[in-house]
Amino acid sequence: MRDLKHLIYFEDLLQEANNELVRKGKEDGNLCLGYTCYFMPEVLLDLPGCFAVRLRAPKCTSPDMASYYMSGRTCHYGRSLLERALEGGFNFIDAQLATETCTVTCRFQEHMQMMPELIDNPNFFCEFTDVPFKKNDNSILHYKDQLQVHVLDVLHDKLGIDTSDEAIRKAIEDQNEINRVVREIGEFRKLDEPTITGFEFALCQLVALACPHYLILPKLKETLEDLKTREPDKKPNYRVKVVVAGSENDDPYFIKLIEECGARVVADRYCYGSLPGREEIEIREGETALDAVARHYLISSQCTRFMEQHIMRQRKEYLADLVKEYKADGIIIEQMKFCEYWSYERLIDTFVLRRDYGIPVCSIEKEYTNNAVGQLRTRFQAFIESIELKKLQQDQEGRGVG
């Protein structure tokens, strides 16, 4: 397929957290607010005078210093973030808006809060927000109160940010615009012959999380226009289509590895992915802007920390629906090593999706960076071959070949 104009630029931006556009955003006089979790609403960190950056630790291969503080038996992602902070890689952020969600990322942010010298910024602070474990009216109310006290009030009182209802409504409009663009880019994955690869889409999704919106949006819009006239290869260079689901993954080269094995990644249901995450925020009649934000982020989440039986069942149905919607042949379930929530979810998904929905599943455990490329490549190649064999058997049975 024809090369997309900005893909190399997007790839370069993702080589470090303090990238060119983050530096430009700071030079423009804006405050940089770090976060790690979907439950810290990105839209509230993009109010006038500030911008959000979802923290990553690209190219962190050995979090030795962080392991001293957190032990080697904790999530590699959380340790990698702490390692990068200890290296001075997050000195550009002015505040960290933390959530009490994943255990190890919570611990990483506790270190930011308890070790003032970790971030070389005299005005830096870290503030925690509590997130409910259920999706109901009481939970939404609690979540809204937490966002008011621990995000909006803090931003207003400490940084002088305008957190009025009017300012939040404008931020919602801006958030909806970038969500629409990223979502429309992702729609090309639904085609019988997708005109965007999973790797290319991962780059688009990640730069939208890692850069100031007002600086990256024009490039994403140009990419969308580019895709409207892009033709698929005459002969597809993939053998099957897959959905990738699982825990934290901000490494586009993990997606590239899967595609190099012969699978086209057509949907991204993992933390840092777009499903869910790029739906528009709707302000309903009688709601304040904060009401809408609290309801949207709590209800739309597919996070595995919600453990009620009917919610867990809905997550399986959501994955099965993605397989149908994106015309996928199977699912790869990835779990970050030592991830508390996904260690349970991966096991359940692997069993239930095969038994109840007849979907082929490849279940793998990985680290933050691809240190075991050879082993993963072998697993993915074997999975792709098993799907092809299943298709061949079904075709023979359909033609009555014994």
Side-chain angles (χ1 to χ4, degrees):
M1 292 185 290
R2 183 182 77 246
D3 289 342
L4 296 174
K5 179 179 177 182
H6 296 300
L7 261 292
I8 293 176
Y9 179 61
F10 290 168
E11 195 171 354
D12 287 343
L13 287 173
L14 294 172
Q15 298 308 305
E16 58 176 322
N18 189 17
N19 60 56
E20 174 189 329
L21 295 188
V22 169
R23 295 193 296 271
K24 178 65 168 62
K26 295 272 289 184
E27 288 169 7
D28 289 345
N30 297 302
L31 297 167
C32 180
L33 306 178
Y35 74 112
T36 62
C37 181
Y38 181 72
F39 287 116
M40 178 48 60
E42 183 183 18
V43 64
L44 297 183
L45 309 188
D46 278 305
L47 292 164
C50 56
F51 63 90
V53 169
R54 197 162 181 180
L55 297 187
R56 303 168 57 248
K59 297 184 285 189
C60 179
T61 55
S62 181
D64 294 334
M65 292 187 292
S67 297
Y68 171 79
Y69 288 95
M70 302 174 75
S71 100
R73 296 184 179 274
T74 54
C75 168
H76 203 245
Y77 166 62
R79 281 187 286 142
S80 296
L81 290 179
L82 180 57
E83 185 79 12
R84 187 53 45 87
L86 289 164
E87 294 168 350
F90 295 143
N91 287 340
F92 64 93
I93 61 175
D94 295 286
Q96 178 71 10
L97 281 302
T99 53
E100 296 186 21
T101 45
C102 292
T103 306
V104 180
T105 52
C106 183
R107 286 190 63 195
F108 151 65
Q109 291 166 121
E110 285 173 349
H111 280 84
M112 297 181 90
Q113 193 175 57
M114 298 171 68
M115 299 168 63
E117 70 279 7
L118 197 58
I119 304 298
D120 188 14
N121 183 333
N123 298 317
F124 173 82
F125 65 89
C126 178
E127 183 77 15
F128 274 90
T129 294
D130 180 57
V131 179
F133 279 89
K134 292 187 176 182
K135 299 182 180 185
N136 55 42
D137 291 342
N138 287 335
S139 299
I140 294 172
L141 182 60
H142 172 75
Y143 185 40
K144 173 193 169 184
D145 290 343
Q146 287 285 306
L147 293 175
Q148 179 67 58
V149 173
H150 296 290
V151 180
L152 298 182
D153 290 351
V154 170
L155 293 180
H156 179 270
D157 296 344
K158 291 191 175 184
L159 301 177
I161 299 298
D162 179 5
T163 59
S164 64
D165 186 77
E166 182 181 358
I168 299 173
R169 287 176 183 269
K170 178 61 170 65
I172 288 174
E173 288 180 16
D174 295 341
Q175 183 72 44
N176 283 346
E177 183 178 15
I178 197 166
N179 284 359
R180 276 195 299 271
V181 172
V182 174
R183 191 173 66 251
E184 286 181 33
I185 290 173
E187 290 290 304
F188 291 95
R189 299 177 295 174
K190 293 181 180 179
L191 299 175
D192 290 337
E193 295 182 19
T195 53
I196 186 170
T197 69
F199 172 68
E200 290 169 336
F201 179 79
L203 294 178
C204 295
Q205 164 67 5
L206 286 169
V207 293
L209 294 173
C211 301
H213 287 175
Y214 74 99
L215 294 175
I216 198 62
L217 183 57
K219 300 287 193 300
L220 289 170
K221 285 182 174 179
E222 289 182 29
T223 301
L224 176 58
E225 291 304 312
D226 220 3
L227 282 163
K228 290 178 180 178
T229 58
R230 196 188 204 194
E231 295 293 330
D233 293 325
K234 290 183 179 180
K235 183 179 179 181
N237 62 350
Y238 59 90
R239 292 146 60 192
V240 300
K241 298 179 187 177
V242 297
V243 172
V244 176
S247 56
E248 196 280 339
N249 177 46
D250 63 64
D251 181 9
Y253 300 104
F254 175 70
I255 303 300
K256 190 173 187 177
L257 172 64
I258 296 171
E259 297 195 314
E260 287 173 347
C261 295
R264 176 60 52 86
V265 176
V266 291
D268 53 337
R269 215 317 303 142
Y270 48 78
C271 184
Y272 279 66
S274 69
L275 299 167
R278 292 301 172 188
E279 300 78 16
E280 290 190 35
I281 302 169
E282 175 194 5
I283 304 178
R284 296 174 181 172
E285 186 176 354
E287 283 187 330
T288 66
L290 184 58
D291 288 334
V293 169
R295 173 182 48 76
H296 174 84
Y297 281 87
L298 194 65
I299 300 302
S300 66
S301 172
Q302 291 287 324
C303 183
T304 54
R305 62 196 298 278
F306 297 113
M307 295 186 181
E308 294 174 285
Q309 285 297 310
H310 69 286
I311 297 295
M312 293 178 71
R313 171 57 64 174
Q314 286 173 8
R315 287 201 296 271
K316 317 309 171 212
E317 292 173 354
Y318 182 81
L319 285 175
D321 289 343
L322 286 180
V323 170
K324 293 178 184 177
E325 185 178 358
Y326 286 83
K327 306 179 181 71
D329 301 298
I331 296 180
I332 294 174
I333 305 289
E334 56 86 8
Q335 173 220 322
M336 187 74 67
K337 192 173 183 179
F338 298 121
C339 176
E340 182 178 6
Y341 294 122
W342 271 97
S343 61
Y344 300 106
E345 190 80 359
R346 178 169 70 98
L347 177 63
I348 298 168
D349 281 354
T350 302
F351 179 73
V352 172
L353 290 169
R354 285 174 180 159
R355 183 196 66 185
D356 295 357
Y357 300 96
I359 300 171
V361 179
C362 176
S363 175
I364 62 121
E365 182 182 71
K366 65 186 283 289
E367 293 190 340
Y368 184 62
T369 50
N370 291 335
N371 293 329
V373 172
Q375 294 176 351
L376 290 174
R377 191 183 298 276
T378 301
R379 291 288 306 279
F380 295 147
Q381 288 172 339
F383 179 56
I384 291 164
E385 289 174 8
S386 72
I387 292 175
E388 289 179 316
L389 285 173
K390 183 178 179 181
K391 282 183 174 182
L392 181 61
Q393 291 169 352
Q394 290 174 341
D395 183 58
Q396 289 176 341
E397 290 171 3
R399 290 186 290 113
V401 178

